Amino acid sequence: MLSATEIRILDLLPRESHENEQAPIRCQTRVVPISSDPDYETVSYVWGDFRNTSLIEVDGHNVPITKTLEAALRRIRHLETRALWVDQICINQEDNREKACQIPLMRQIYSKTKQCLIWFGEIRSDIQLSDAQSALDVIRFFNDLAQDSPPGISVYSSISEQTLPNTMKAFGSIASHEHPWWHRIWTLQEAILPSKACMIWGPLSISWETILNAGQSCISQPVPRIFWPYIDIINRLFTQTNGLIFSKNSSEGPLITVYRWSFRRATNPLDKVYGLLGLFPPGTLPRSECCNYQLQPASLFAMLTADLVENSKGLHPLALGSYAGSPGSTPNIPTWAFDFGLSGSPHRLSVNGDGASWYLVNVYYEYRACGNKEIDWELFRLDPEYNVLTLSGYMVDETAITGTKLQDDRPGIQCISPQSAISYINDWYRTAEEFYQGREYLQGSNIQENWSDSFWRGLLGGLVLKDEFFLEHEAQQEDIALAKEFVRTGEINEVCFSIFGNMCHRSMFITKAGLLGFGANSISVGDQVWVLNGGNVPFILRPSSGNPVPGSHHMIGSSYVDGIMKGEAATETHKTESVYLI
């Protein structure tokens, strides 16, 4: 077994001069200290089906490897010995102790590599080699756009309106909708950490830097008209490469990096966490760095969420949505933990075709419901036995009524149209009107007199947002007027982006004291509105009964509650108490 400071290098031996490309693959291994800065290249690839293997010779023994890796080794085999680090062979995959020792070294392994060889497999049988070459020329063309004097598309004779349909078919085959490399969690650090990389696609190759630069040019330069019919296919590649650049430049913290790539998959759900650790310096996520393959996924995801709370020094990780019990969710995951086992959010509705996946991420810091009250770090604790998170805060009120729950326009489509959104908004408004007119104890109060403005402001989440759900400005009366106009006329206007983003995640509720808010679609009458210390938004909690932890609560989700989003409730006399989230 390797020590915690050693790695195994695979020497890929050349074929004999009399042998053809199908000659048996022969390799030797050697163990070296990572601190000795050995010379090697890494290989990034999709493992493929381990039930479909080939035998290669390693140190004189037959060793099974996946067909995908076999194809990669054949393509990169030189006439001289080639030193490689390949996870499938260089780590004993049957030894969890060795894996636990090697995973903490991934950051060094991929940072120190001479270059990473990113294997995209053989060219599909339905794609001509010439079309694949033209697809790479499209990437080179977009790379050239960033030059002070770009040469123009005429330089690339392979690109023409006549050949472009087949070219873009080939292009699409290496983009995210069709190629599995973009969906595996381990390939992320393999592309981000190396200082140099090269994509290999059958007999073709292109520098990774060219691909990254092309993606940047695509968003910073006008796209030539010839490519307009194919812009969706182009974006399927360059959206992913631009995300890699964001993460590589460390312009985002661990929370955003983890959230950005949470859609990627792993055969073992624990690797959804372990496959990301190499992106951060040691000690960034201390609980998660244990690399214990005996853990249950629910426990590891709870540990990572707690690590992210400590790293971000706030409750932002808890505000990204509670998915416990949703279709495909991780068994036994605590309601407060972010479920990294989910690939995408199949349970979340989209409005007008947009699921607003970044809404809860980007609006969080526009509020400060807790005022100046930070997390009580002496109290903060994760109980690993029950996955209970201890925080502090105070209950503001209890929900008295909830609006109609959002549902698909048609079963299975997970989307509602603008017309359906208007129907829900009108229904919610009537529900609110009946509530405030029927509560004598609210008559004459500011809440009763101003509830309509609270409704429309709450529908906007108090904000008018621009692209990617970043703040344009706080909602004003003219924005409320635009929201009313949309509901009256059905015509999309500049505040609809904010309305739809909010509705993807929230529906209306009113508390006993008359506070109007928008919270998770699963909210029920009797749920409680809490302001947790260190939380920029109010949280909806549900008291738990029959739990081994007395006084525990389920996390339902974050919310917008009009009138308390800037710390107004924090200035009142509230008894701060411990709260136990399960």
Side-chain angles (χ1 to χ4, degrees), residues 271-554:
D271 287 334
K272 289 288 295 273
V273 176
Y274 298 150
L276 291 172
L277 293 179
L279 298 177
F280 314 114
T284 301
L285 304 169
R287 294 178 182 84
S288 309
E289 292 170 11
C290 64
C291 297
N292 181 359
Y293 276 92
Q294 304 306 312
L295 285 172
Q296 292 299 309
S299 296
L300 181 59
F301 298 157
M303 293 161 62
L304 178 58
T305 306
D307 280 339
L308 291 170
V309 168
E310 290 184 328
N311 181 269
S312 64
K313 297 181 172 56
L315 301 185
H316 197 181
L318 274 59
L320 301 183
S322 178
Y323 302 130
S326 300
S329 62
T330 298
N332 302 316
I333 191 166
T335 58
W336 57 270
F338 188 78
D339 192 347
F340 298 96
L342 289 168
S343 295
S345 297
H347 45 273
R348 185 175 63 230
L349 287 172
S350 64
V351 181
N352 198 30
D354 188 347
S357 58
W358 285 90
Y359 180 86
L360 295 178
V361 177
N362 291 341
V363 302
Y364 179 81
Y365 288 106
E366 305 305 332
Y367 312 115
R368 189 61 180 173
C370 66
N372 61 2
K373 296 184 178 179
E374 304 291 347
I375 294 174
D376 183 345
W377 294 111
E378 293 184 0
L379 186 68
F380 178 84
R381 180 173 180 266
L382 170 60
D383 180 346
E385 182 177 358
Y386 296 108
N387 287 332
V388 176
L389 186 70
T390 304
L391 296 169
S392 60
Y394 50 88
M395 189 187 80
V396 176
D397 203 358
E398 186 176 299
T399 57
I401 194 169
T402 62
T404 305
K405 309 299 185 193
L406 294 167
Q407 295 182 339
D408 303 352
D409 281 352
R410 297 191 306 277
I413 66 169
Q414 300 171 325
C415 181
I416 66 172
S417 66
Q419 291 72 29
S420 295
I422 290 172
S423 296
Y424 282 108
I425 293 168
N426 281 326
D427 186 71
W428 292 342
Y429 191 89
R430 287 191 295 269
T431 299
E433 188 173 41
E434 292 173 2
F435 175 89
Y436 289 106
Q437 289 179 351
R439 298 299 192 276
E440 292 185 4
Y441 63 88
L442 293 177
Q443 298 301 314
S445 67
N446 287 334
I447 288 177
Q448 198 277 337
E449 292 178 359
N450 299 319
W451 73 265
S452 182
D453 275 357
S454 290
F455 176 88
W456 294 106
R457 196 163 39 243
L459 186 65
L460 291 163
L463 309 170
V464 175
L465 305 171
K466 54 187 177 181
D467 291 348
E468 301 298 330
F469 302 101
F470 289 110
L471 178 68
E472 181 76 39
H473 58 264
E474 293 187 1
Q476 307 296 325
Q477 284 300 317
E478 52 266 33
D479 303 309
I480 290 176
L482 286 171
K484 294 178 180 178
E485 180 181 332
F486 161 66
V487 173
R488 185 178 66 256
T489 67
E491 294 183 3
I492 305 291
N493 59 44
E494 52 264 43
V495 301
C496 289
F497 189 62
S498 306
I499 294 172
F500 297 161
N502 194 18
M503 291 181 69
C504 284
H505 300 271
R506 298 169 176 160
S507 56
M508 189 200 71
F509 68 88
I510 305 173
T511 71
K512 289 182 176 179
L515 294 174
L516 191 149
F518 287 77
N521 207 33
S522 56
I523 192 171
S524 297
V525 172
D527 290 343
Q528 299 171 348
V529 178
W530 280 71
V531 171
L532 300 176
N533 293 343
N536 286 28
V537 294
F539 290 89
I540 307 299
L541 306 183
R542 182 174 297 163
S544 172
S545 58
N547 190 277
V549 181
S552 56
H553 290 74
H554 294 283

